[in-house]
Amino acid sequence: MVNQTLQGQHQVKLSMTRGSSAARTFVFNQRTVCKIGRAADCGLRLSPEFPEVSRHHCVLEIDPPHVRVRDCGSRNGTYVNGVLIGHRPLQYEPAHPLQDEVAPRELAAGDELNVGGVVFRVEIRSVDESESSPGNLQALCQG
């Protein structure tokens, strides 16, 4: 039996479909963890013109072909295909650690991830090693 990981690589692509940078695409070819939010330490930093986006809104755990998202206690919540998957309840302060209280959600090809009004469409595909290129956020999204 042949190990499937030797047959080819996978690529995860996030395409912004709504937001200030609509039509931007972020490609991930290898395992990484990426914070999304307005803070300077976020690998995928969103514009301050979106006040609904928290400083640390959510985290993507990417290990192509798998992608998981977990809300980081955002005030306005993180949505997958229009369904709320996590947010900070109003009774909690922003510094309240919710990491263990919000389970990660697996994303699939075609899913839409809504982060404070900015929408990303998830694409997952097999790629030949000759056509794979380093992800444009790979260095920024480590840790």
Side-chain angles (χ1 to χ4, degrees), residues 60-132:
L60 293 174
E61 299 166 5
I62 301 169
D63 189 8
H66 305 284
V67 185
R68 297 185 324 165
V69 63
R70 184 182 68 236
D71 188 85
C72 293
S74 65
R75 180 176 179 195
N76 294 302
T78 300
Y79 293 80
V80 175
N81 300 324
V83 177
L84 179 66
I85 63 155
H87 69 97
R88 182 184 76 236
L90 294 176
Q91 70 266 25
Y92 290 136
E93 294 296 320
H96 181 76
L98 291 176
Q99 304 276 36
D100 298 330
E101 298 177 32
V102 178
R105 166 80 181 261
E106 191 78 23
L107 299 177
D111 282 350
E112 286 195 342
L113 174 65
N114 186 326
V115 178
V118 179
V119 178
F120 298 92
R121 185 158 188 83
V122 178
E123 296 177 50
I124 300 170
R125 67 183 197 120
S126 265
V127 292
D128 186 339
E129 283 190 41
S130 64
E131 64 177 293
S132 71

